[in-house]
Amino acid sequence: FTVTVKGTQQSDGRIDHFYCVVHARDRYPALRRVIDAHPDIYGIIFCRTKIETQEVADHLMRDGYMADSLHGDLSQQARDHVMKKFRTKSIQMLVATDVAARGIDVDDVTHVMHYQAPDEPEAYTHRSGRTGRAGKNGISILFLNAKETGKLRTIERLTQKKLIYLPGPAGVDVLKNQLLSFAAK
């Protein structure tokens, strides 16, 4: 007999796809600016390596963000602890590698951020599919440097979606969004 698996995970929500072009040295400040511009963010930041994942999480935590890392060097107990914190929203940002994030099924993720373009363009679709679930809207943001624009075209061809250029949020926009969020609470 034959077992056939068709398609990919279906999302009945809507995901808006954006990209930012930044210099390598400006990648982390650009990430922080995006996070600051969305005070109610509940997201996943994807990195390519375990080392980069831990570094980004450490920087975010040092800078006062509610974040933690998920990668292959963690014990199962540590991984379970991090996932519990993320599911209960004790942390807002989960920084993860593609491999460590396989099988993560968390509702209400508002943002997926690709700290760097994935090595395999298909991984972009899997990463982005972590948001926009259960009829909700989500945002996927890809950070690229100028040399990686070829990857952007490949991802657009693969997903059949045009990614929208997103300039880094201006300081006044960050302040406005934070004030509106504070007033709403």
Side-chain angles (χ1 to χ4, degrees):
F1 79 98
T2 305
V3 175
T4 306
V5 178
K6 290 178 65 176
T8 59
Q9 179 177 351
Q10 294 297 312
S11 169
D12 48 8
R14 193 176 121 233
I15 303 172
D16 293 321
H17 297 268
F18 298 96
Y19 73 96
C20 293
V21 178
V22 295
H23 293 288
R25 69 180 178 276
D26 297 329
R27 196 176 302 262
Y28 179 73
L31 173 69
R32 280 193 51 194
R33 186 63 67 104
V34 168
I35 293 170
D36 289 343
H38 300 92
D40 299 320
I41 194 168
Y42 179 56
I44 303 173
I45 302 166
F46 282 99
C47 297
R48 285 199 298 229
T49 67
K50 293 182 259 190
I51 292 169
E52 184 177 62
T53 299
Q54 191 62 56
E55 286 174 354
V56 171
D58 288 345
H59 286 306
L60 287 169
M61 289 184 284
R62 182 198 64 216
D63 292 340
Y65 296 92
M66 296 184 328
D68 211 335
S69 64
L70 189 68
H71 53 75
D73 284 349
L74 296 177
S75 68
Q76 187 61 45
Q77 183 179 7
R79 178 186 166 90
D80 292 344
H81 180 69
V82 169
M83 283 309 301
K84 181 179 181 188
K85 289 193 313 186
F86 189 59
R87 281 194 176 92
T88 60
K89 297 188 178 182
S90 297
I91 57 172
Q92 284 183 280
M93 302 302 307
L94 178 65
V95 187
T97 59
D98 291 318
V99 173
R102 283 190 187 140
I104 291 177
D105 187 17
V106 178
D107 291 334
D108 303 326
V109 171
T110 60
H111 290 70
V112 167
M113 289 176 277
H114 313 265
Y115 195 68
Q116 290 187 336
D119 291 328
E120 299 297 323
E122 296 82 13
Y124 176 86
T125 305
H126 296 296
R127 289 174 170 187
S128 297
R130 307 285 181 202
T131 188
R133 292 180 170 197
K136 297 190 177 162
N137 295 337
I139 295 173
S140 177
I141 302 172
L142 174 63
F143 292 92
L144 299 167
N145 63 38
K147 296 175 187 172
E148 295 176 313
T149 54
K151 287 185 178 185
L152 173 66
R153 304 298 162 234
T154 304
I155 288 169
E156 287 180 330
R157 240 184 348 268
L158 177 76
T159 61
Q160 299 178 354
K161 295 187 183 304
K162 178 89 172 126
L163 276 69
I164 301 163
Y165 174 72
L166 178 70
V172 72
D173 295 328
V174 170
L175 289 174
K176 181 180 125 191
N177 288 348
Q178 288 186 349
L179 283 172
L180 288 171
S181 174
F182 179 74
K185 288 178 182 170

